[in-house]
Structure formats: C-alpha cells, structure tokens
Amino acid sequence: MGTLEWVGEALNEGQIVEREFVIETEAGAIPGIVWMPEEAEEPVPLVLFGHGGSGHKRVSRAVMLGRRLAGVSQYAMVAIDGPAHGGRQGPRLEDLYAEKGFDSIIDGMVGDWTATLDCFAGMDAIDENRVGYAGFSMGCRFGLPFVAAEGDRLRCAALGKNALQRRGGADANDALGDRFRRDAPNVNVPVFFHLQWDDELFARESQCDLFDLIGSADKRMVCYTGPHGRSSPEAVDDWCRFLKRYLG
C-alpha cells in the first residue's frame, strides 16, 4: 500500500471539492485527482476513472464526469495519470512497452490502481463496499486487467472502446489481445461495454469478440454512432445510470 499526500489546496466550487494528490509507492509516484461532495452525511460510493490515450487525470471528460458524479450522484471519483501521461511524462508509452514489456506496463498500472483503491477505501468518507471502475479506450486497456484482478472488491465496471486487435492487423500493441484473452474471462462484476459503431481504431467484430470473452453473467453492450473519440451526452447519461444501478 502506498502513502497518499495531498498536493496544493483543495478547490471548493458548487458544493464539490476537487483536490490533487500523489501516492508514493515502492514502484514510484502515482499522481491523481479526486472529486467529492463538499458535505455528505454518510460514506459515499467511489468511482475510479481511467482516462484515454493522450489524455491525463484532469482531461475535460474526467472533469465533467467527476463534477457530475460528485455534485449530482453524491459519489467520489478518482482519476490517476496513466504511464507516460500527465504528471508521469517521460518516454513514450510505445517506448516503455518496448523497453519493459507489455505485460510489465499493464501489471504496473494494475498495481497503481490497487494502491489507489487501498488508500481511498481506507478513508472514513468512502464506502469501500460500493466501488466501481469506468474507463474507455486506454482506460479499458489498463482497466479491464485491474477489474479482473480485484474481483469482488468492485461492484461494477464500465469499459469499452477497445478490442482484441486494432484495425490494420499487426502492430506493436497486438500483445493486448493476448492479455485480454487471459483477463476478460476473470471479470465477473456487472459490465457496461461501450462500442462506437464507426470506430476507426477498432473493428466492431473485434470489439464484440472482446465483449464475448468477459466472464460476467451480467453484461450489456451499448452501441453509439460516431468515431472512436466521441462520447455523446447520451452515452455519458448511460454510464451514470449504470453506475447508479450498482452503487446506489
């Protein structure tokens, strides 16, 4: 388990508290951010959010979702930077894969999410029995193995915008398909799977193949028109309804 240190002053706005932090672990520092209701009468559910590629912990989608969950749903939401993103700038992610190996980077991020969950689950303000994960694209790449590893510590997971193989055939990330084939059958919590119908990065068939591998008996795939990077307001509403269904 890591040690959490708050960074700077909390931002209080609209009955929402936003605050950055760093979790120090033996493997390195994990920079992150949390959104929470300013006042809550009892411990609140927690959503862990994994950002997409080229994003960071405070990308606009994370801010939007964090503020919505904290302000409307009365949840806490935590986002952390992925490898080579945000406050962890350095070698490109592709270079890290080449240097350390694909599974090593995935395992490292799974460990980072576990350390983050450990820190926040131990807080009086958090209900450790009501925790969910949401992450799409790269957030699914790292999130699905994390959800598989954590088992019943999580209540549900919103995943998607990923597949067993990218369009165009073999590339440096084809190892992801092998990793998903190992981990997806071990995902047993309820799953919401987001598929972009016109995704230019991942073919529909390969996304469906990944969905089929997910071991949960309670899973649903929802398709939305548009390219890979689009998440319509309707989709965001669906994510939030799904989380509310299982986190209360």
Side-chain angles (χ1 to χ4, degrees):
M1 179 173 175
T3 302
L4 185 146
E5 299 177 1
W6 298 111
V7 176
E9 296 296 323
L11 173 63
N12 294 60
E13 184 178 355
Q15 298 185 320
I16 298 168
V17 178
E18 174 187 305
R19 194 162 193 186
E20 295 195 22
F21 62 85
V22 172
I23 297 174
E24 297 289 348
T25 71
E26 292 183 358
I30 308 168
I33 188 168
V34 60
W35 292 267
M36 299 183 68
E38 186 175 18
E39 296 182 4
E41 296 181 355
E42 58 186 20
V44 300
L46 172 65
V47 175
L48 307 173
F49 179 76
H51 66 79
S54 75
H56 51 79
K57 61 183 176 293
R58 209 178 183 281
V59 71
S60 60
R61 186 172 296 159
V63 174
M64 174 276 297
L65 189 60
R67 291 185 61 82
R68 173 168 174 169
L69 290 175
V72 178
S73 303
Q74 296 289 287
Y75 294 175
M77 191 186 96
V78 169
I80 62 175
D81 286 326
H85 289 72
R88 299 207 258 194
Q89 292 291 346
R92 296 184 313 126
L93 187 54
E94 290 74 13
D95 294 333
L96 286 177
Y97 289 144
E99 176 187 351
K100 298 183 178 181
F102 187 84
D103 279 330
S104 176
I105 300 302
I106 295 289
D107 290 340
M109 192 62 182
V110 169
D112 288 350
W113 271 124
T114 297
T116 302
L117 175 55
D118 288 343
C119 285
F120 280 88
M123 294 182 180
D124 291 340
I126 300 297
D127 184 346
E128 65 177 334
N129 295 312
R130 292 192 289 167
V131 180
Y133 180 87
F136 310 95
S137 192
M138 192 181 82
C140 179
R141 181 192 310 173
F142 295 124
L144 188 150
F146 166 67
V147 174
E150 288 303 316
D152 59 8
R153 287 190 76 188
L154 303 179
R155 283 276 191 93
C156 60
L159 303 166
K161 294 192 180 188
N162 219 308
L164 297 180
Q165 187 177 42
R166 293 174 67 96
R167 287 187 184 274
D171 65 19
N173 290 334
D174 269 359
L176 180 60
D178 293 334
R179 182 65 188 242
F180 278 162
R181 288 183 181 92
R182 297 198 304 271
D183 288 337
N186 296 320
V187 173
N188 293 309
V189 298
V191 168
F192 178 101
F193 194 94
H194 177 134
L195 184 149
Q196 283 298 124
W197 194 253
D198 307 300
D199 196 315
E200 71 277 16
L201 299 183
F202 300 105
R204 297 169 200 159
E205 306 87 89
S206 191
Q207 294 185 68
C208 291
D209 289 343
L210 173 57
F211 176 78
D212 285 343
L213 287 175
I214 293 172
S216 175
D218 181 355
K219 61 182 180 179
R220 76 287 326 262
M221 174 185 286
V222 184
C223 305
Y224 305 90
T225 59
H228 179 81
R230 182 185 179 196
S231 292
S232 67
E234 177 190 5
V236 177
D237 288 345
D238 288 343
W239 305 343
C240 292
R241 278 192 291 267
F242 170 80
L243 292 169
K244 182 178 181 180
R245 176 179 179 182
Y246 292 97
L247 301 182

